[in-house]
Amino acid sequence: MGPTCPTFIRIRTNAKLYNRFGEDFIEKAIPDWRFKATRDTLSIYIYKEIIEGRGTKHGGVFMDLSFLKPELIKDRLSVSNYYEKVLKSGVDLTKDTIEITPAAHYFMGGIRIDVRGETSIPGVFACGESAAGFHGANRLGGNSLSEILVSGSHAGENAGKRAAKMKRTEENNPDTIKKRINRITYKINRWKSDADGVRPVELKNKLRNMMWEKAGVIRDGQKLKDGINRLDLLEKQMEDLTVCAETQYNRDLLDAFELKHMFNVSRLILKGALMREESRGAHFRQDYPEKNNEKWLVNIIFKKDNELKAPIQMKH
Amino acid sequence: MNTDTQCQIKILRFNKDISRYPYFQEYMIPFEKHKTIMDALLYIYTHIDGTLAFRASCANGWCNVCLLKVNGKVIKPCSTFMELNMTIEPVPEIPVVRDLIVDRSSKGNAPDRNHITQ
């Protein structure tokens, strides 16, 4: 894993992108891409080069600044010491080309909250990226700060007020909580006693790779359906997880719990992406490449039932 | 048969449930020139020893959560390349919770390193 490649690089310099054959593929498609191509468009073009076999041997494309004057590069990339940071990872941008590739960096969907930031679980608040953010279907580079600052303090303030007048209910009385803890402890002990099950980290990596392949930069109906089938198969392996017995800072255990939630979120992503038969922002469907405002100017909201097979509600 | 270059890593481990004293454990992993020390720790955790405790977060050298002492120097493992021989210890002078994880909020004493066992 290397450092992220921020948007300011292409905007502040004359960076060029090349595929394996030295073709300036993006300049051909969108001549003023540095200012006009949003992150999603750029990702799609780069990803196409890679999956169609024109990428580098490490699975990326080349970014080149080295034709510029060294002082200019150092000056333009002085934001967050980017030049020095990349130099430390062994690449001197004044001389070398660097390999870049799209990656999952930000999540456009999220938990549904009310005006105070409270979720449908009483007393649980969400904010920022986790609550679907301010940005709609696509976030432009460098714009995440607004929700970090605004939505965090908003939700925090409301959570404080809510906590001050929270009443004891059936849901939060000590007996119910104790029962839940017992149930979780029982599960943990079962995981710990199973010596030859699947390691959570293994399953996590499989799930990650599957999601990248099936619901990544370029999506289509068939791939998403395959994804749901693969997800069902992988989720079955959750039955025989094994975790190590450590009591403190047990990474295995953390991975096991994260994995359970990752399965839920992955299912919602796949189902939502399959339903939305259009392309909008970061959601690009090869089989429906255009935006369809007549039919799809809606949010897709999933509600949990006992099975978590997720029935749907639409909101215009 | 693995003929690739191996990287020898000695990690100072500590678990108060087992012993009052920290001890060194040795791991051998495939050496890759352009991978970071964090990649090495994740490799050990994924393929060799799931009980190893360490912190990891931004992977970009911003948050400093993963700080460790490697070959005598305090560095950011997520943005420092691995070397062929590494001795990895928790950040000095701060009490250790387990293995490479330190309790930054605590004012207590670090485990006694005069009694490191091999």
Side-chain angles (χ1 to χ4, degrees):
Chain A
M1 198 174 358
T4 51
C5 176
T7 309
F8 70 75
I9 295 186
R10 61 172 154 124
I11 292 174
R12 293 173 70 102
T13 70
N14 234 348
K16 284 190 189 306
L17 298 184
Y18 298 110
N19 61 20
R20 185 153 62 92
F21 306 109
E23 289 163 344
D24 195 343
F25 57 94
I26 187 90
E27 193 85 28
K28 255 195 273 176
I30 316 170
D32 43 2
W33 63 276
R34 285 181 199 87
F35 301 96
K36 291 221 169 135
T38 46
R39 221 180 228 172
D40 56 307
T41 321
L42 200 53
S43 300
I44 291 166
Y45 277 99
I46 296 174
Y47 192 67
K48 265 193 187 150
E49 292 301 304
I50 296 167
I51 54 168
E52 286 168 13
R54 295 188 294 277
T56 66
K57 66 175 178 189
H58 299 113
V61 297
F62 294 113
M63 182 175 77
D64 186 19
L65 306 173
S66 60
F67 57 91
L68 297 167
K69 282 201 184 102
E71 307 82 62
L72 186 103
I73 295 176
K74 285 177 194 167
D75 175 54
R76 296 285 161 85
L77 301 189
S78 59
V79 185
S80 69
N81 289 327
Y82 197 77
Y83 172 76
E84 284 80 11
K85 197 159 78 187
V86 177
L87 190 62
K88 259 193 221 156
S89 14
V91 178
D92 183 349
L93 285 172
T94 61
K95 294 187 203 122
D96 310 324
T97 54
I98 190 168
E99 285 175 56
I100 58 168
T101 178
H105 174 60
Y106 189 88
F107 193 61
M108 303 311 311
I111 307 162
R112 194 184 190 191
I113 51 171
D114 63 14
V115 283
R116 293 163 302 150
E118 191 166 358
T119 66
S120 59
I121 301 169
V124 176
F125 286 69
C127 63
E129 185 181 348
S130 69
F134 297 161
H135 305 279
N138 198 9
R139 179 172 75 78
L140 301 183
N143 278 274
S144 181
L145 208 58
S146 52
E147 62 202 14
I148 293 170
L149 296 173
V150 177
S151 141
S153 66
H154 176 74
E157 203 181 311
N158 283 312
K161 284 182 195 157
R162 183 80 165 77
K165 52 179 188 191
M166 193 96 179
K167 291 208 176 68
R168 183 149 289 179
T169 61
E170 183 59 38
E171 273 296 296
N172 65 14
N173 82 48
D175 283 343
T176 320
I177 293 169
K178 214 174 182 178
K179 260 186 222 156
R180 288 202 179 159
I181 292 175
N182 285 342
R183 216 160 55 209
I184 293 170
T185 319
Y186 174 77
K187 193 158 51 177
I188 293 172
N189 287 336
R190 219 185 58 194
W191 284 339
K192 281 185 177 173
S193 62
D194 185 0
D196 41 46
V198 198
R199 287 276 309 282
V201 62
E202 261 175 68
L203 202 49
K204 213 172 172 179
N205 287 340
K206 277 187 195 162
L207 176 62
R208 268 188 186 141
N209 293 338
M210 187 279 280
M211 284 298 285
W212 179 247
E213 207 183 293
K214 303 294 180 194
V217 182
I218 298 178
R219 300 166 168 178
D220 71 47
Q222 193 49 50
K223 272 206 274 184
L224 292 166
K225 276 180 208 156
D226 288 352
I228 295 175
N229 292 337
R230 289 270 298 280
L231 188 80
D232 289 336
L233 291 177
L234 286 175
E235 202 168 9
K236 280 203 186 103
Q237 298 185 37
M238 278 293 281
E239 305 282 312
D240 44 34
L241 277 191
T242 183
V243 304
C244 66
E246 305 293 322
T247 51
Q248 266 186 318
Y249 285 92
N250 186 331
R251 243 191 139 72
D252 260 354
L253 203 52
L254 182 70
D255 275 341
F257 281 107
E258 279 183 3
L259 188 60
K260 189 166 171 284
H261 303 311
M262 280 167 76
F263 272 113
N264 290 342
V265 175
S266 301
R267 189 174 295 282
L268 300 185
I269 294 172
L270 288 167
K271 288 202 160 191
L274 186 60
M275 274 187 72
R276 190 175 279 278
E277 293 177 337
E278 64 152 357
S279 290
R280 185 179 293 275
H283 167 71
F284 178 73
R285 291 256 319 234
Q286 216 164 226
D287 43 355
Y288 297 94
E290 299 300 325
K291 203 190 265 185
N292 181 348
N293 279 347
E294 256 164 48
K295 205 174 156 206
W296 284 109
L297 216 51
V298 296
N299 289 317
I300 299 175
I301 298 159
F302 290 96
K303 229 175 164 182
K304 187 187 169 187
D305 65 351
N306 291 333
E307 299 280 304
L308 223 164
K309 291 296 176 197
I312 317 109
Q313 225 182 52
M314 303 262 235
K315 193 188 153 201
H316 287 262
Chain B
M1 262 290 278
N2 194 352
T3 51
D4 294 343
T5 319
Q6 295 284 301
C7 165
Q8 188 189 40
I9 303 178
K10 266 167 78 182
I11 298 182
L12 188 59
R13 305 198 58 182
F14 172 69
N15 186 344
K16 68 174 179 350
D17 295 346
I18 295 172
S19 162
R20 283 168 61 199
Y21 305 118
Y23 62 97
F24 274 111
Q25 187 163 349
E26 228 176 87
Y27 300 94
M28 299 294 277
I29 68 162
F31 177 75
E32 283 182 73
K33 212 168 96 189
H34 285 113
K35 292 228 163 160
T36 62
I37 297 170
M38 183 52 75
D39 291 327
L41 291 175
L42 286 167
Y43 185 93
I44 294 172
Y45 164 68
T46 312
H47 300 285
I48 304 172
D49 187 349
T51 67
L52 183 65
F54 56 96
R55 281 200 170 106
S57 186
C58 78
N60 264 277
W62 293 324
C63 72
N64 285 356
V65 156
C66 62
L67 281 189
L68 289 175
K69 188 170 153 191
V70 178
N71 292 345
K73 263 167 64 184
V74 175
I75 48 97
K76 297 177 191 176
C78 66
S79 46
T80 312
F81 286 142
M82 62 164 94
E83 288 168 36
L84 277 170
N85 286 292
M86 290 189 290
T87 304
I88 304 183
E89 298 163 68
V91 192
E93 314 295 333
I94 308 177
V96 177
V97 183
R98 191 162 83 76
D99 294 348
L100 300 174
I101 292 179
V102 293
D103 179 2
R104 293 187 182 201
S105 64
S106 162
K107 293 191 178 71
N109 295 318
D112 187 352
R113 298 210 189 167
N114 297 322
H115 289 90
I116 292 173
T117 50
Q118 286 299 325

